[in-house]
């Protein structure tokens, strides 16, 4: 189902914006100076600075582009080229919450496609479109990097694991009802898009230790290895006397006991 012909707040193109007020600009400059000070070259600070202006405007506006360009000594065109390359930077007003449904291979076959279809129809919007109330931007995501919990949905980059069409519809309805939503792992509640953008700019919100970040599915491989007494191979000395990392994958000539090219081996060189 296509929703491209429906009026949509989030699909409006980026337009010229009024300059920042003196108060906002002063705070931006103070924060930007802190960001730039982290790097040996000013231009290296561009990515967090784009998150910074996004935390103020809710997207990378034209005035945000100009501010970043002036701060790091690049042209507006160069900054815009970076901002349009990475999908976390939005060039039109974004919703208060970004809901990203993974439809990559594993999530898709586990139900990701069904989740996408259901929530897209429920909200009446498609990829990178925003509900008319400005609350939710919907994204079809290539991978949420949580395959062990497929199908996975992320809201403002917080994990919602093992989802169903019904659970995601309930989640977006809670957002639209003004309720806090709690991710499966991570912080106690999902922060807004602007708040998360400020965190991505490098300004911590003090919530990094909240909740669980690694669940049973993530730890299963580690626990299996521990049960087998497996460990990472120890460094060895090369002919020049310098320690080098030894690959877990060894060939028959790499270590005693190897059984052939590509054989997995433990620290003692024996095939696993």
């Amino acid at each position: 189902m296509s929703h491209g012909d429906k009026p949509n707040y989030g699909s409006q193109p980026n337009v010229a914006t009024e300059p920042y007020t003196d108060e906002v600009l002063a705070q931006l400059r103070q924060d930007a100076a802190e960001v730039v000070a982290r790097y040996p070259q000013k231009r290296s600070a561009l990515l967090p600075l784009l998150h910074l202006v996004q935390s103020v405007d809710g997207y990378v506006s034209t005035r945000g582009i100009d501010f970043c360009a002036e701060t790091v000594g690049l042209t507006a065109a160069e900054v815009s080229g970076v901002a349009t390359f990475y999908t976390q930077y939005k060039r039109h007003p974004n919703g208060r919450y970004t809901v990203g449904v993974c439809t990559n291979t594993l999530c898709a076959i586990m139900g990701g496609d069904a989740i996408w279809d259901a929530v897209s129809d429920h909200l009446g919007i498609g990829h990178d479109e925003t509900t008319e109330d400005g609350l939710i931007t919907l994204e079809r995501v290539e991978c949420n990097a949580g395959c062990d919990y497929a199908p996975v949905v992320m809201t403002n980059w917080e994990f919602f694991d093992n989802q169903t069409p019904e659970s995601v519809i309930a989640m977006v309805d809670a957002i639209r009802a003004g309720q806090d939503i709690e991710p499966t792992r991570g912080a106690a509640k999902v922060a807004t898009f602007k708040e998360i953008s400020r965190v991505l700019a490098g300004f911590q919100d003090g919530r990094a230790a909240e909740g669980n970040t690694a669940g049973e599915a993530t730890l299963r491989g580690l626990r299996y290895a521990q049960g087998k007494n497996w460990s990472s191979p120890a460094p060895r000395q090369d002919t020049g006397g310098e320690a080098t990392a030894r690959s877990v994958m060894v060939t028959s000539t790499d270590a005693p006991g190897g059984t052939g090219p590509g054989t997995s081996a433990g620290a003692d060189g024996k095939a696993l």
Side-chain angles (χ1 to χ4, degrees):
M1 179 177 180
S2 174
H3 302 285
D5 56 346
K6 296 188 177 184
N8 187 274
Y9 171 76
S11 63
Q12 298 302 310
N14 188 27
V15 296
T17 48
E18 295 295 324
Y20 291 114
T21 65
D22 291 342
E23 180 180 3
V24 171
L25 186 58
Q27 184 62 55
L28 268 175
R29 284 174 173 162
Q30 178 180 325
D31 291 340
E34 183 176 335
V35 172
V36 170
R38 302 172 193 154
Y39 299 91
Q41 297 183 26
K42 288 195 299 183
R43 64 186 300 162
S44 299
L46 179 56
L47 297 184
L49 287 175
L50 287 168
H51 285 298
L52 179 63
V53 297
Q54 190 160 255
S55 75
V56 174
D57 291 325
Y59 69 110
V60 179
S61 61
T62 52
R63 64 186 181 181
I65 291 285
D66 291 339
F67 174 81
C68 291
E70 177 185 351
T71 302
V72 300
L74 295 172
T75 66
E78 289 172 318
V79 174
S80 184
V82 173
T84 54
F85 182 83
Y86 296 102
T87 58
Q88 279 189 320
Y89 302 126
K90 311 301 180 182
R91 291 310 312 274
H92 51 70
N94 197 75
R96 185 175 174 85
Y97 295 88
T98 295
V99 176
V101 180
C102 181
T103 56
N104 206 342
T105 306
L106 182 57
C107 277
I109 63 175
M110 295 294 288
D113 284 342
I115 291 173
W116 169 263
D117 290 341
V119 73
S120 178
D121 287 344
H122 183 71
L123 293 175
I125 55 177
H127 171 68
D128 201 28
E129 294 181 348
T130 303
T131 53
E132 292 183 9
D133 56 15
L135 287 176
I136 298 173
T137 295
L138 186 62
E139 289 187 340
R140 193 179 187 115
V141 179
E142 185 64 20
C143 183
N144 276 330
C147 305
D148 40 357
Y149 292 98
V152 175
V153 173
M154 294 192 84
T155 300
N156 289 348
W157 299 289
E158 297 284 6
F159 286 108
F160 287 77
D161 304 318
N162 301 313
Q163 293 298 288
T164 65
E166 294 76 18
S167 66
V168 179
I169 287 174
M171 183 254 287
V172 298
D173 283 348
I175 291 174
R176 302 187 82 178
Q179 301 171 10
D180 289 335
I181 56 172
E182 181 179 351
T184 308
R185 292 173 284 144
K189 69 174 184 178
V190 176
T192 68
F193 181 77
K194 287 184 178 181
E195 290 169 340
I196 289 296
S197 293
R198 184 168 176 82
V199 173
L200 291 172
F203 296 91
Q204 298 304 311
D205 59 3
R207 303 172 61 200
E210 289 182 3
N212 296 320
T213 55
E216 180 59 33
T218 303
L219 297 174
R220 192 167 296 152
L222 172 64
R223 289 173 179 166
Y224 184 82
Q226 290 171 336
K228 293 286 188 179
N229 292 319
W230 293 349
S231 61
S232 299
R236 65 178 174 84
Q237 298 292 323
D238 66 9
T239 55
E242 296 181 356
T244 59
R246 184 173 180 80
S247 172
V248 174
M249 301 301 292
V250 300
T251 67
S252 57
T253 58
D254 281 329
T259 58
T263 301
S264 296
D268 59 359
K270 294 181 179 180
L272 299 178

